[in-house]
C-alpha cells in the first residue's frame, strides 16, 4: 500500500487524524552470495530491497501496544508490563519480542497504536521477519529516545532484532538479515563481516545484466526447517577441527588449504564433513565474487553463484526439488549467466543474473518449464536495491 493510503487506513482503525502519525520502514533483503555463513562468523554479501515493512504509528499514552496489519485480520493488544507473555501468538510475536528484548535492555517502551504493512512476501526467504523486527526496533528506539532514554544506531537495531528472534521466537538465525534490513543502501551491496560487524558497501553494477528474483512458492518456516540442525552440525565440525587448529575461533576462519589438510578428522561423523566444506569454500566464493564485481567481471560472478547453489544442494542440502528446478531452468536460458537459491533455502527464492533485454523472455521460459515439472507456477518480482531502516 502507498504511504498516504496507509495513513488513511490507520485513522479509520484508530481514529484521530493524520497530523501526529509517524511512519517507520525497514527493508527485506536478498543475499547475493555467502549462504549459511553468517552464523559461522564469515563474510556475507546481501542488499536491501524495495520490498519492505512500513509501520504507521502513534503514541497512545497508555500502557498498551495495539497492533494490526494490512495483511492479517488479527488485532492484538500487548500490555507493556507483561511483554514476555506473547511468545505463542500466531501474529504479533515478532513485535512483542522486539519490545520485550528492548525493555530488558533498558529502553523505555511506551504504549502506541501501530499498523503494519509488509510487501516482502512471507516465507519467501527475503526476510519478511527481519523487516518487521527492524522497523519495530527503529520505532521503539525512536520513541524511547524521545522520552530521554537511550540512543541507538542502525547496527544496534540489527543486533537487538536478531537477539529478539533468537531468544523470543526460537529461531537461531545469524545477523545477516537484520543487518541488511537496517543498513542497506540504495544500489549497494553490503560486504558484512559477521564476526566483527565491520562492513563496506560495494556498488551493485551488473553491466548489461539484471538481477531477477523468483519465488519457487514452496512455503516453509525456519522454525520447522532443518536450519537449527545445520547450525548444530557446523558447531560440531568446528569443535573437531579446533583440536588440530587451536587458534581458529570460527569455521569461516579456516582456509580451503587448511580444511583440505584436516578434513579427514570429520570423516565417519554423518554429513558434517560436507557441511563444513560448504562453509569454507563458500567463504572463498564471497571474496572472489566481490573482487569480480569490483572488476566488472559479471560472467565470473554469475559462475560463482552457480557454484554456490551446487554446494548448497550437494553439501549443505538445503535446496529441495523446487529450488533446484527453478535454478536449473534459469541456467538453461540463453542469457542467464548464474542462478542460485538465496536465504535459508528449503523453499523461498532464487536470484539469477539475466541479460537485461531478455528478462521477460527469461521469466516466460523459466515459469513454463518450472510449472511443467513442479505442478504450480513460480512468482517473479520486480525489485530494486534501496535504503534500509528509516523514519519516512
Ligand atoms: C536465514 C537466516 C540468516 C542466514 C540465512 C542463510 O535467512 O535468518 O541469518 O543464516 O538464513 O544464509
Amino acid at each position: 500500500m502507498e504511504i498516504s493510503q496507509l495513513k488513511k487506513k490507520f485513522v479509520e482503525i484508530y481514529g484521530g487524524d493524520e497530523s501526529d502519525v509517524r511512519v517507520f520502514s525497514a527493508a527485506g533483503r536478498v543475499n547475493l552470495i555467502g549462504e549459511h555463513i553468517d552464523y559461522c562468523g564469515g563474510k556475507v554479501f546481501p542488499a536491501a530491497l524495495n520490498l519492505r515493512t512500513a509501520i504507521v504509528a502513534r503514541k497512545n499514552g497508555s500502557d498498551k501496544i495495539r497492533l494490526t496489519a494490512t495483511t492479517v485480520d488479527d488485532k492484538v493488544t500487548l500490555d507493556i508490563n507483561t511483554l514476555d507473555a506473547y511468545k505463542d501468538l500466531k501474529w504479533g510475536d515478532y513485535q512483542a519480542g522486539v519490545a520485550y528484548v528492548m525493555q530488558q535492555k533498558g529502553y523505555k517502551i511506551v504504549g502506541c497504536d501501530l499498523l503494519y504493512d509488509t510487501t516482502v512476501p512471507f516465507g519467501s526467504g527475503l526476510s519478511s521477519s527481519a523487516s518487521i523486527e527492524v522497523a519495530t526496533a527503529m520505532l521503539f528506539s525512536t520513541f524511547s529516545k524521545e522520552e530521554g532514554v537511550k540512543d541507538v544506531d542502525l547496527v544496534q537495531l540489527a543486533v537487538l532484532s536478531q537477539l529478539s528472534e533468537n531468544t523470543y521466537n526460537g529461531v537461531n538465525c545469524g545477523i545477516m538479515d537484520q543487518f541488511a534490513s537496517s543498513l542497506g543502501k540504495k544500489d549497494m551491496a553490503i560486504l558484512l563481516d559477521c564476526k566483527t560487524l565491520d562492513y563496506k558497501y560495494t556498488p551493485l553494477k551488473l553491466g548489461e545484466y539484471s538481477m531477477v528474483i523468483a519465488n519457487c512458492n514452496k512455503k516453509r518456516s525456519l522454525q520447522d526447517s532443518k536450519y537449527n540442525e545445520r547450525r548444530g552440525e557446523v558447531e560440531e565440525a568446528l569443535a573437531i577441527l579446533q583440536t588440530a587448529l587451536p587458534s581458529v575461533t570460527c569455521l569461516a576462519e579456516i582456509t580451503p588449504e587448511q580444511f583440505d589438510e584436516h578434513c579427514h578428522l570429520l570423516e565417519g561423523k554423518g554429513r558434517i564433513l560436507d557441511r563444513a566444506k560448504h562453509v569454507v569454500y563458500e567463504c572463498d566464493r564471497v571474496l572472489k565474487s566481490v573482487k569480480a564485481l569490483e572488476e566488472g567481471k559479471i560472467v565470473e560472478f554469475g559462475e560463482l553463484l552457480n557454484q554456490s547453489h551446487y554446494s548448497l544442494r550437494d553439501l549443505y542440502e538445503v535446496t529441495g526439488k523446487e529450488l533446484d528446478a527453478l535454478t536449473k531452468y534459469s541456467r538453461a536460458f540463453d542469457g542467464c549467466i548464474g542462478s542460485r537459491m538465496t536465504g535459508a533455502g528449503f523453499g523461498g527464492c532464487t536470484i539469477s543474473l539475466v541479460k537485461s533485454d531478455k528478462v521477460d523472455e527469461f521469466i516466460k521460459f523459466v515459469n513454463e518449464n518450472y510449472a511443467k515439472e513442479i505442478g504450480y507456477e513460480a512468482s517473479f518480482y520486480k525489485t530494486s536495491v534501496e535504503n534500509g531502516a528509516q523514519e519516512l
Side-chain angles (χ1 to χ4, degrees), residues 155-173:
V155 174
Q156 284 168 285
L157 285 187
V159 171
L160 288 164
S161 299
Q162 181 206 10
L163 182 66
S164 133
E165 184 155 341
N166 291 168
T167 57
Y168 202 90
N169 308 108
V171 179
N172 213 3
C173 64

Side-chain angles (χ1 to χ4, degrees), residues 29 31 34-39 125 127 165 173-178 220 222 227 343-344:
R29 66 96 190 91
N31 186 22
E35 214 64 84
H36 286 277
I37 294 304
D38 56 355
Y39 54 81
S127 296
E165 184 155 341
C173 64
I175 186 69
M176 172 172 74
D177 303 350
Q178 290 81 3
R220 62 105 182 89
L222 290 194
Y227 187 87

Side-chain angles (χ1 to χ4, degrees), residues 146-160:
E146 288 168 4
E147 301 288 316
V149 184
K150 272 177 117 107
D151 203 353
V152 74
D153 63 18
L154 290 174
V155 174
Q156 284 168 285
L157 285 187
V159 171
L160 288 164

Side-chain angles (χ1 to χ4, degrees), residues 69-241:
T70 53
T71 41
V72 295
D73 297 327
D74 305 29
K75 273 207 185 89
V76 169
T77 300
L78 311 174
D79 186 324
I80 61 176
N81 305 305
T82 56
L83 284 171
D84 58 342
Y86 302 106
K87 293 190 174 124
D88 297 329
L89 286 182
K90 222 166 74 232
W91 182 82
D93 54 336
Y94 284 105
Q95 290 89 336
V98 170
Y100 177 68
V101 161
M102 292 184 71
Q103 195 177 52
Q104 294 293 105
K105 293 275 175 197
Y107 292 84
K108 185 163 170 52
I109 301 300
V110 297
C112 46
D113 295 336
L114 308 175
L115 171 64
Y116 281 74
D117 182 58
T118 299
T119 57
V120 191
F122 292 110
S124 64
L126 299 178
S127 296
S128 52
S129 45
S131 73
I132 292 174
E133 291 153 7
V134 172
T136 305
M138 174 164 248
L139 153 107
F140 282 123
S141 66
T142 305
F143 286 174
S144 181
K145 190 178 165 197
E146 288 168 4
E147 301 288 316
V149 184
K150 272 177 117 107
D151 203 353
V152 74
D153 63 18
L154 290 174
V155 174
Q156 284 168 285
L157 285 187
V159 171
L160 288 164
S161 299
Q162 181 206 10
L163 182 66
S164 133
E165 184 155 341
N166 291 168
T167 57
Y168 202 90
N169 308 108
V171 179
N172 213 3
C173 64
I175 186 69
M176 172 172 74
D177 303 350
Q178 290 81 3
F179 202 94
S181 176
S182 184
L183 284 107
K185 217 184 202 135
K186 189 167 176 49
D187 297 329
M188 299 279 183
I190 312 168
L191 179 64
L192 166 67
D193 184 325
C194 298
K195 191 176 161 202
T196 59
L197 299 191
D198 288 340
Y199 61 99
K200 75 165 195 181
Y201 293 106
T202 300
L204 197 50
K205 287 203 182 116
L206 298 173
E208 52 184 330
Y209 295 92
S210 297
M211 180 172 78
V212 178
I213 299 181
N215 190 341
C216 76
N217 285 332
K218 180 191 175 202
K219 286 272 177 266
R220 62 105 182 89
S221 104
L222 290 194
Q223 268 118 337
D224 56 38
S225 74
K226 291 189 177 300
Y227 187 87
N228 287 348
E229 186 180 309
R230 289 291 176 278
R231 285 200 66 151
E233 289 172 320
V234 289
E235 272 157 30
E236 191 186 340
L238 172 65
I240 295 171
L241 289 169

Side-chain angles (χ1 to χ4, degrees), residues 285-297 300:
R285 280 188 287 272
V286 171
L287 300 181
K288 287 182 173 148
S289 295
V290 176
K291 187 160 179 286
L293 205 54
E294 283 171 352
E295 292 172 355
K297 295 179 176 158
E300 207 173 298

